[in-house]
């Protein structure tokens, strides 16, 4: 993962193509969170008491972005499995593997709906 210290932009150099413009975008991508959830997790969200007035319709995700996401998650799976075969898997690795598999299955489920 390459991170520009001045702007906060990131780019995965491991081949998955993940990229974004700031730490919030990275946290969202790395943990599969929405904007508010990621902002809360980073301590950067403050409830102002005003209701949300924007659209609640989900945005469509381009197929290319979904494929990149699936490729990234499958790469995580391959890395954890490789560590497992070498006897080097921590509980955090196992949890990341479970999350990656769940994300791939979710994309497959949505794509086949």
């Amino acid at each position: 993962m390459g991170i520009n210290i001045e702007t906060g932009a990131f780019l995965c150099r491991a081949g998955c193509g993940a990229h974004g413009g700031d730490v919030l975008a990275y946290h969202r991508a790395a943990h599969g969170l929405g904007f508010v959830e990621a902002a809360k997790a980073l301590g950067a969200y403050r409830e102002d008491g005003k209701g949300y007035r924007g659209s609640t319709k989900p945005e469509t995700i381009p197929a290319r972005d979904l494929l990149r996401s699936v490729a990234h998650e499958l790469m995580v799976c391959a890395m954890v499995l490789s560590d497992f075969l070498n006897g080097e898997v921590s509980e955090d690795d196992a949890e990341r593997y479970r999350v990656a598999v769940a994300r791939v299955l979710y994309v497959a489920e949505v794509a086949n709906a």
Side-chain angles (χ1 to χ4, degrees):
M1 182 72 59
I3 300 175
N4 183 318
I5 301 298
E6 292 179 18
T7 67
F10 66 93
L11 173 65
C12 178
R13 293 191 176 130
C16 74
H19 63 282
D22 58 23
V23 70
L24 185 62
Y26 173 77
H27 197 70
R28 289 180 68 189
H31 300 284
L33 300 173
F35 179 85
V36 173
E37 293 84 4
K40 284 180 179 180
L42 294 171
Y45 184 84
R46 181 179 44 168
E47 190 66 52
D48 63 3
K50 297 178 184 176
Y52 179 69
R53 297 177 191 220
S55 172
T56 58
K57 181 180 176 185
E59 295 180 26
T60 59
I61 300 172
R64 181 181 305 243
D65 291 345
L66 285 175
L67 289 173
R68 282 185 184 146
S69 176
V70 167
H72 172 75
E73 298 302 338
L74 290 174
M75 184 177 63
V76 168
C77 290
M79 290 169 48
V80 172
L81 287 174
S82 175
D83 288 348
F84 176 76
L85 292 174
N86 292 319
E88 303 172 0
V89 176
S90 68
E91 185 54 38
D92 288 341
D93 289 338
E95 178 59 23
R96 184 63 182 100
Y97 177 80
R98 287 188 285 272
V99 169
V101 169
R103 288 178 180 165
V104 170
L105 292 174
Y106 177 75
V107 169
E109 180 182 307
V110 170
N112 290 319

